[in-house]
Amino acid sequence: MPGTFVHTTDFKARSFHYRTLLADGAHFAELSGCAIASSYGASIEEESARARELGLVDLSPLPRTGFRGRRALEWLKKAGLHVGDDNNFSWLQEDGSILARLADTEALLLGDLSNNSGTCAQLDSGVAEEEPESCYHVPRRDLSAWFLVTGALADVMFAKLCGVDMRRAKLPSGMIAQTSIARMNAISIRSNLGDMPAYHLVFDSASADYLWRALKDAMTEFDGKPVGYDAIVSIART
């Protein structure tokens, strides 16, 4: 868990649109050398309740990585990750990270929410050292922002922004939709936190501020609001 509140400018690693998060009332804390929006001024209990209805979280400071190439999936399996046979599906790993199979030749790994495993860094180092044939590193942490949309009303909210039906019956936990959200390309990975619907959005980092504002606007009629990292970790641990 993050410690005391910090100034975002003290850290090189921070949210791509940290100024907007500050304007939204974010309180930042240090997490493994990064500044992350840990709360928005409310208690963990209040923000957890908000997340269960409709919440928006910026997880961009957390580790993530990607791999592409004809033998990328094979290399990941040899590295000990569980990779299933279906494209556009994801699997929760033993350490809490999420392996998303985007195609026969590409995978995305989201680090565990508690930021304890170090799997992303290990894989990045491994592919650099081994230089496996037809397996190439994709620096997702630099290229892609990472948001999390949570709560019982999330699928209704997405109907305003996305042509893909995000309801449980159409997009159950584990499935991926590579689609357009608010007129921009994004990867949506549904990976529920217990019984709470949760959608991980991975997209071009240059569009972080735009998509944050678009999601906040779409959430307004459902009373959805930003939620801090602390509340999400608390829910994930229950």
Side-chain angles (χ1 to χ4, degrees):
M1 296 285 286
T4 57
F5 294 141
V6 299
H7 297 290
T8 55
T9 51
D10 292 340
F11 298 85
K12 292 183 179 180
R14 56 201 178 196
S15 297
F16 296 105
H17 62 140
Y18 69 92
R19 292 183 179 87
T20 297
L21 302 185
L22 286 169
D24 286 342
H27 294 176
F28 284 81
E30 181 180 359
L31 180 70
S32 300
C34 301
I36 193 164
S38 59
S39 77
Y40 287 82
S43 68
I44 288 181
E45 292 76 18
E46 291 173 314
E47 294 201 2
S48 295
R50 180 186 301 169
R52 292 189 179 280
E53 291 298 317
L54 183 59
L56 174 61
V57 190
D58 188 339
L59 297 178
S60 296
L62 294 181
R64 57 201 169 280
T65 190
F67 300 92
R68 184 179 295 159
R70 182 171 49 86
R71 303 186 68 175
L73 300 184
E74 177 185 338
W75 184 80
L76 288 169
K77 291 178 182 178
K78 289 182 179 178
L81 278 79
H82 173 60
V83 185
D85 296 330
D86 298 324
N87 293 332
N88 289 317
F89 207 85
S90 66
W91 296 270
L92 189 65
Q93 306 297 303
E94 290 185 3
D95 65 354
S97 59
I98 299 172
L99 190 287
R101 177 170 173 158
L102 305 179
D104 288 338
T105 57
E106 185 172 8
L108 161 70
L109 184 71
L110 301 178
D112 64 295
L113 291 179
S114 295
N115 194 37
N116 291 325
S117 72
T119 301
C120 291
Q122 293 169 13
L123 291 173
D124 290 348
S125 297
V127 77
E129 293 172 2
E130 297 176 26
E131 298 184 349
E133 179 184 358
S134 300
C135 178
Y136 311 99
H137 176 227
V138 180
R140 285 285 185 177
R141 195 167 189 175
D142 298 325
L143 299 175
S144 304
W146 176 10
F147 291 171
L148 180 68
V149 177
T150 67
L153 298 174
D155 55 356
V156 181
M157 184 278 298
F158 274 121
K160 301 175 62 175
L161 300 175
C162 179
V164 173
D165 191 339
M166 297 286 200
R167 290 176 297 176
R168 184 185 299 269
K170 297 294 184 179
L171 196 77
S173 188
M175 287 198 67
I176 299 170
Q178 299 188 57
T179 184
S180 175
I181 298 176
R183 300 182 179 180
M184 60 167 290
N185 294 331
I187 300 166
S188 174
I189 304 168
R190 180 158 187 174
S191 185
N192 295 344
L193 297 177
D195 61 355
M196 184 180 72
Y199 302 81
H200 298 266
L201 306 183
V202 181
F203 57 95
D204 181 10
S205 60
S207 300
D209 195 60
Y210 164 76
L211 188 57
W212 182 267
R213 294 174 185 273
L215 289 166
K216 276 182 55 185
D217 182 68
M219 288 179 169
T220 301
E221 69 174 280
F222 309 107
D223 200 30
K225 296 179 181 178
V227 171
Y229 171 77
D230 290 2
I232 295 304
V233 172
S234 177
I235 291 172
R237 288 176 174 172
T238 58

